[in-house]
Amino acid sequence: MAKSRLLKYKPSQLSPAQAYRQQQEDQKQGERLHIAQAILTILFCSALFFMGFLSLILTKPTVSEVEKRELAAMPEFSGQAVLDGSYTKDLELHYADTFPFRETFVSIAARLDEMRGIRFDGVRIHGTAPAPEVPPEPSRADPELPEGAGYTEEEESSSEASEVSKPHEVVDDGAVGEQNGAVFVYKEKAMQLFGGSNGMAEWYAGAISNYKKAWGDSVKVYNLVAPTVIEFSLPQRYKSVTNPQKPNIEHIYQSLDSGVIGVDAYSALEAHADDYLYFNADHHWTARGAYYAYTAFAKSAGLEPLSLEDYQRKVIEGFRGTMYSYTNDAKLAEDYVEYFLMPGNPTAVRWDKGDPYTAQEHSVWAEFAQGGNSYSVFLHGDYPLIRIDTGNKNGKRVLVVKESFGNAFSPFLIPHYEEVFVVDQRYFELNLVDFVKQNNIQEVLFLNNIFAANTGYHIEKIEGMMSKPAPTQSFLPAPPAAQREESSKEASA
């Protein structure tokens, strides 16, 4: 600053007295700067010394509650370990893992990281995809990988088969793509860039596994992670703009408790990747995409899936969804919302946010939906709890824990169960463990898209349902269908 001031005056313009005063002022400013630097250095060194001192006297934690993992232990000292360098490496890991207030720093970093990007349905979208983490190759020879972890024998066979099958390739005709912030636009289609990490995958898998441990053998637990449109829509030339989703999904499945059944929706979707599985200008999958994921679930659950021809097909034209709102790109292709009515006459009730014990009249499809809200044709959108009474009398009950991808999926379960419960993990206000037990639900499916499975907000919501208050005796089940029909007739009379 002093230098800039001197530049305003040429030496010849300063009198000897002015030059002397200027020199004195510059000297004082320099002294003040040195003092400030010394104070900052002392504060910094004091902080380092204080934290180092704390690291010596505080009790060392052994488990990270935030990351749900065991921390690195103090390595045993040996001459061989010192010589081969493993001792110093392990000591560095132990010190980094047990640094004072590390949990707090990790939480703050996670919160700051959560503030980046944009959100749709509580899902965070990164502007720039970080370098992918490559998970270790699963191997039966790996002693740390539990036998059958995350896969039944059928899924394992399917997974092995998918490894030898040729991955879906997009023909490159030279079309030019364009990145618009957090979105990549290619061939009239807008796609979210995927980040994700092995750490988030393990956190998500741990949250699902805890439910299986709570329910034990009395409840079958499934996990389905759905890939999104960008995974199957880019030619090799543009693959590097986003992280691959398949390794992340596989890492989730490998990290699940051995009792959780992994649903290989990825292979089912990849096999039909040229079909209309995802919207061009919205971040959801289509009902057709949800259908192929349903066939994968049916395979895992031992069900015989219906074919698309078994349903009544309907279409809502003129849909421009969330990605169009974000990009305002007029070149994006207009979508249509296809939906399939199930055989029979299923009815439904819902429980609203803030009123978890009072059933409200509902329906499976909102056929009046139109325009930008056309995706709400599935279940009317997101509610804390919906129960579908299918009319089947087989005593089977299933519960789907989902974000909005589950709305298009859940109706496909109607032909196979007597009751289908749909819980939105963001809004459900009761203890899920107790709710499942009290309603004699035998099967629970956790269904999330790959972005939700790698977003702390969603994982925390899933975990949080374990600590919600248990449903009380005042919980009101849905009124019998006959009673609802009678009430409806009286209301219309």
Side-chain angles (χ1 to χ4, degrees):
M1 185 173 181
K3 182 178 179 181
S4 63
R5 213 173 13 245
L6 285 173
L7 291 175
K8 297 178 181 178
Y9 303 97
K10 295 180 180 179
S12 58
Q13 296 175 319
L14 297 177
S15 66
Q18 288 176 324
Y20 175 76
R21 286 195 294 273
Q22 186 66 58
Q23 184 181 9
Q24 292 296 312
E25 185 177 346
D26 292 345
Q27 186 176 355
K28 290 179 181 177
Q29 286 186 345
E31 291 174 352
R32 287 195 290 268
L33 180 61
H34 287 311
I35 292 172
Q37 291 174 334
I39 292 174
L40 289 175
T41 302
I42 291 172
L43 290 175
F44 180 72
C45 292
S46 298
L48 287 180
F49 177 80
F50 180 68
M51 296 301 288
F53 177 71
L54 290 179
S55 70
L56 295 176
I57 63 172
L58 293 179
T59 303
K60 302 290 185 184
T62 58
V63 176
S64 170
E65 296 296 333
V66 173
E67 299 170 285
K68 310 299 181 188
R69 67 176 180 88
E70 293 185 0
L71 301 175
M74 172 67 82
E76 292 186 7
F77 180 82
S78 70
Q80 180 61 36
V82 173
L83 291 175
D84 63 20
S86 61
Y87 179 79
T88 54
K89 181 180 179 181
D90 292 343
L91 184 63
E92 182 181 351
L93 289 174
H94 169 70
Y95 188 76
D97 264 7
T98 58
F99 193 76
F101 311 116
R102 180 181 179 278
E103 295 279 89
T104 302
F105 292 137
V106 170
S107 297
I108 293 174
R111 294 294 180 189
L112 292 175
D113 187 62
E114 282 285 296
M115 296 170 67
R116 296 190 299 118
I118 59 175
R119 290 178 181 276
F120 293 122
D121 283 345
V123 170
R124 179 166 57 98
I125 302 171
H126 297 249
T128 303
E133 293 184 29
V134 181
E137 289 292 334
S139 169
R140 284 286 165 259
D142 187 348
E144 296 184 357
L145 184 63
E147 186 71 24
Y151 286 97
T152 63
E153 292 184 1
E154 290 183 352
E155 275 79 43
E156 189 172 358
S157 300
S158 175
S159 178
E160 291 173 355
S162 66
E163 289 177 1
V164 300
S165 62
K166 186 178 180 180
H168 174 72
E169 294 288 345
V170 176
V171 176
D172 190 349
D173 59 3
V176 177
E178 178 183 0
Q179 184 169 345
N180 182 347
V183 175
F184 193 76
V185 179
Y186 180 71
K187 285 193 169 182
E188 302 180 334
K189 183 177 294 185
M191 298 165 278
Q192 307 151 258
L193 300 177
F194 176 65
S197 69
N198 283 352
M200 297 298 286
E202 291 162 8
W203 184 12
Y204 176 80
I208 306 301
S209 298
N210 286 337
Y211 281 97
K212 178 57 185 175
K213 293 172 184 174
W215 288 318
D217 294 334
S218 62
V219 178
K220 279 188 175 180
V221 178
Y222 304 89
N223 175 62
L224 190 161
V225 178
T228 61
V229 59
I230 199 168
E231 183 72 356
F232 305 123
S233 302
L234 295 180
Q236 191 62 40
R237 179 164 47 100
Y238 284 129
K239 287 284 188 182
S240 62
V241 302
T242 185
N243 280 351
Q245 298 180 5
K246 187 174 183 180
N248 186 275
I249 293 174
E250 291 180 339
H251 194 68
I252 290 174
Y253 284 26
Q254 291 158 10
S255 302
L256 290 168
D257 180 89
S258 59
V260 179
I261 302 172
V263 178
D264 184 18
Y266 187 99
S267 297
L269 290 162
E270 185 179 34
H272 301 273
D274 293 327
D275 208 340
Y276 188 47
L277 305 183
Y278 300 94
F279 295 111
N280 298 301
D282 188 80
H283 68 288
H284 295 101
W285 57 10
T286 65
R288 196 168 290 261
Y291 168 78
Y292 288 116
Y294 146 74
T295 63
F297 171 75
K299 182 178 180 181
S300 298
L303 306 174
E304 184 64 33
L306 278 65
S307 68
L308 283 173
E309 289 70 29
D310 292 327
Y311 311 113
Q312 181 184 357
R313 177 178 180 270
K314 290 194 171 185
V315 172
I316 301 174
E317 300 285 356
F319 175 48
R320 288 187 183 273
T322 52
M323 305 308 288
Y324 177 77
S325 300
Y326 174 71
T327 62
N328 286 316
D329 191 339
K331 293 181 293 186
L332 296 181
E334 187 174 272
D335 287 300
Y336 59 89
V337 177
E338 183 182 40
Y339 61 103
F340 299 93
L341 301 183
M342 303 296 125
N345 184 30
T347 58
V349 291
R350 73 171 191 273
W351 285 263
D352 293 337
K353 189 175 182 180
D355 191 8
Y357 298 114
T358 304
Q360 305 289 339
E361 291 292 331
H362 202 64
S363 60
V364 180
W365 294 276
E367 297 194 72
F368 53 81
Q370 60 182 353
N373 294 321
S374 297
Y375 187 79
S376 296
V377 69
F378 307 108
L379 303 181
H380 294 247
D382 302 313
Y383 287 92
L385 172 64
I386 296 172
R387 194 183 80 181
I388 302 173
D389 300 307
T390 67
N392 302 322
K393 300 300 178 185
N394 58 16
K396 297 177 63 177
R397 299 177 181 84
V398 65
L399 183 145
V400 181
V401 181
K402 58 83 187 178
E403 35 76 39
S404 56
F405 267 55
N407 297 354
F409 174 94
S410 298
F412 289 109
L413 302 180
I414 289 174
H416 306 285
Y417 296 88
E418 184 167 326
E419 293 177 337
V420 179
F421 294 82
V422 185
V423 162
D424 194 303
Q425 61 212 20
R426 295 163 292 183
Y427 311 122
F428 191 62
E429 298 174 286
L430 302 174
N431 186 294
L432 185 63
V433 175
D434 292 326
F435 181 86
V436 167
K437 291 179 179 177
Q438 291 181 12
N439 287 276
N440 297 318
I441 295 168
Q442 305 99 354
E443 299 175 57
V444 174
L445 167 65
F446 289 89
L447 189 160
N448 280 281
N449 70 74
I450 186 66
F451 282 86
N454 281 269
T455 300
Y457 168 80
H458 278 276
I459 303 173
E460 288 178 346
K461 290 296 182 182
I462 293 171
E463 288 182 327
M465 291 187 294
M466 293 193 83
S467 57
K468 298 282 186 181
T472 67
Q473 293 301 314
S474 61
F475 177 81
L476 300 176
Q483 180 179 333
R484 293 201 302 275
E485 290 177 0
E486 188 64 31
S487 299
S488 178
K489 289 178 182 178
E490 291 175 357
S492 60

